[in-house]
Amino acid sequence: MPVEQTGASAESAASRSAEETGHIRIGGLRKEYDDVTAVADFDIEIRPGEFITLVGPSGCGKTTTLRCVSGLETPTDGDIFIDGERVTDLTANKRNTSMVFQEWALFPHMTVKENIAFGLEMDNVPKPEREERVTEVLELVELPGYGDRSIGELSGGQKQRVAMARAIVREPDVLLLDEPLASLDRGLRQRMQVELKDIQEQLGITFLYVTHDQEAAMTMSDRIAVMNEGRLEQVGPPTELYDHPETTFVATFLGETNLLTGVTTSSEEGLGVDTGTETLAVGDSGFPPGVEVGVSVRPENVTLTRPGGGDELANRYRGTVDDVIYKGATTKYVVDIGTRTLVAQRQKTRQESQFQEGEAVVVGFEPSDCELIEQ
């Protein structure tokens, strides 16, 4: 997790309270490379002290956006403000930000404390203050007593902590992170996600994080900004994006979903969606009749029972288990209902036997489990 650090002096950062620093506003951001548009009309406001994550598939523009905020890329159009100051045309060293990259950039010939203090030396911070700040940040990243160790003595997770310490020791208003945990194995990556969020809460500074890992984004973020093809699809708290996606892309990118399409209809029973083969009961969604919509139903909201059960379900189908995917704590079932398949996910319990491939089942969901998305 190499670090490229940029920043104004610590004195200027200290002159503003935590409530006033780390505010980012991006308006109409656009970045073009020859005939390729990497980011188009991107608008977002990030509150001071917020942990916000940009997610999306490879090539969606999230890293380009981050590099524009850092000053490593110059936007083709648009404005970037940090703490009310327009920084769009400022070089990276004129912005009080630090950036952490995915690749390693620790100096192997230096000790841990020398690596961390390197940026402070470049800023001409006096040696006594450097030593004090390095000691404090080693405590923060849970590496007390590691200052004199060589980089080669450290594990992967410890190197990540040193890289993080090197970024935050300069006391930036904004910390920018580009896939910093991607090179770690799954178990360590999950532990580091929790630690990273803890560090952010202790520091109280703004974190702008980039990842393609939806699980990491859901775990750490106050808000998530989903990008696709250079544009912002939706931004909001993780639960809001997962439970109430505004676009088909968000519904399918954040987690798994059963996505049906049709046209809204109205009857005495309430609003429905005509899929061409049936009419789904979808409850009071606020849509008028005649609107083309997608119906998103998360697998964990799909009920799966054996024949004779599920009579209470408003949307109920007989089917056959087509595939069983064991995932440890949960099991995913793909059920063939004739006209299509539905995916159901069930928590593992000791009281209940699992369904088997080829077994006859009843599958369904309630209107309240349906999230409608205008097409």
Side-chain angles (χ1 to χ4, degrees):
M1 184 168 61
V3 178
E4 173 149 345
Q5 298 164 321
T6 63
S9 69
E11 291 181 0
S12 64
S15 67
R16 300 186 301 273
S17 68
E19 289 78 11
E20 297 173 327
T21 59
H23 179 266
I24 303 172
R25 182 164 58 85
I26 303 173
L29 183 66
R30 188 176 188 86
K31 179 62 180 178
E32 299 174 352
Y33 298 98
D34 297 326
D35 58 346
V36 176
T37 300
V39 181
D41 304 320
F42 184 89
D43 298 275
I44 199 169
E45 185 164 358
I46 302 171
R47 298 182 287 269
E50 186 172 26
F51 195 129
I52 190 163
T53 302
L54 304 180
V55 299
S58 298
C60 72
K62 54 188 185 294
T63 294
T64 300
T65 300
L66 197 74
R67 291 175 63 87
C68 287
V69 175
S70 74
L72 298 176
E73 297 282 357
T74 301
T76 305
D77 198 6
D79 289 303
I80 300 171
F81 292 85
I82 298 179
D83 297 333
E85 178 186 5
R86 185 178 183 275
V87 300
T88 315
D89 302 315
L90 294 183
T91 56
N93 65 310
K94 298 292 180 64
R95 310 182 190 198
N96 193 28
T97 64
S98 290
M99 188 160 180
V100 182
F101 292 91
Q102 177 182 343
E103 299 83 12
W104 301 107
L106 298 174
F107 300 119
H109 63 285
M110 293 183 179
T111 65
V112 167
K113 66 182 179 183
E114 288 170 342
N115 267 277
I116 296 172
F118 181 78
L120 299 179
E121 290 186 57
M122 297 299 100
D123 287 343
N124 296 316
V125 175
K127 185 176 180 180
E129 183 180 345
R130 291 203 307 266
E131 293 180 347
E132 180 181 357
R133 285 164 65 173
V134 168
T135 299
E136 290 176 352
V137 79
L138 281 171
E139 291 280 352
L140 181 66
V141 298
E142 299 183 354
L143 289 176
Y146 279 69
D148 293 325
R149 297 196 186 189
S150 70
I151 296 302
E153 294 179 86
L154 305 181
S155 67
Q158 289 168 341
K159 289 176 182 178
Q160 296 284 14
R161 291 187 179 94
V162 172
M164 180 65 61
R166 188 179 176 189
I168 63 182
V169 75
R170 298 181 70 186
E171 300 177 352
D173 291 340
V174 177
L175 189 62
L176 308 167
L177 306 101
D178 189 7
E179 300 273 15
L181 308 180
S183 61
L184 302 179
D185 63 64
R186 179 178 173 83
L188 180 55
R189 186 168 66 248
Q190 290 177 331
R191 292 196 298 274
M192 288 295 293
Q193 290 168 11
V194 177
E195 291 183 15
L196 196 60
K197 179 59 177 174
D198 288 342
I199 288 172
Q200 190 267 341
E201 291 177 346
Q202 290 181 61
L203 291 173
I205 66 175
T206 303
F207 274 34
L208 180 55
Y209 191 99
V210 159
T211 184
H212 66 277
D213 185 340
Q214 302 98 311
E215 180 182 315
M218 301 284 279
T219 299
M220 296 185 293
S221 310
D222 297 318
R223 287 192 299 157
I224 298 173
V226 182
M227 295 186 68
N228 183 34
E229 297 183 344
R231 299 182 183 276
L232 181 63
E233 290 267 334
Q234 187 177 351
V235 60
T239 54
E240 178 183 309
L241 267 62
Y242 187 80
D243 293 335
H244 306 293
E246 294 176 356
T247 68
T248 298
F249 179 82
V250 174
T252 54
F253 184 78
L254 287 181
E256 187 173 3
T257 195
N258 296 282
L259 190 65
L260 316 173
T261 58
V263 178
T264 56
T265 62
S266 182
S267 68
E268 293 181 358
E269 287 75 28
L271 189 71
V273 172
D274 183 357
T275 67
T277 58
E278 64 184 307
T279 298
L280 300 172
V282 296
D284 183 12
S285 66
F287 281 86
V291 178
E292 292 187 10
V293 295
V295 182
S296 172
V297 184
R298 296 292 185 186
E300 63 269 24
N301 292 330
V302 175
T303 298
L304 187 62
T305 66
R306 290 186 163 83
D311 290 341
E312 74 285 356
L313 296 170
N315 301 290
R316 180 179 182 274
Y317 312 91
R318 298 181 186 276
T320 304
V321 176
D322 193 48
D323 198 6
V324 179
I325 304 165
Y326 179 68
K327 304 175 73 174
T330 62
T331 302
K332 185 168 72 172
Y333 298 95
V334 181
V335 180
D336 183 355
I337 61 172
T339 55
R340 62 177 180 275
T341 60
L342 284 174
V343 177
Q345 181 173 289
R346 294 171 64 91
Q347 288 289 128
K348 180 180 179 181
T349 66
R350 293 182 178 179
Q351 293 76 28
E352 197 173 79
S353 61
Q354 295 207 12
F355 295 90
Q356 304 300 315
E357 189 172 328
E359 184 176 352
V361 293
V362 172
V363 66
F365 48 90
E366 296 289 2
S368 59
D369 298 321
C370 302
E371 188 68 25
L372 268 60
I373 304 168
E374 187 169 3
Q375 301 295 285

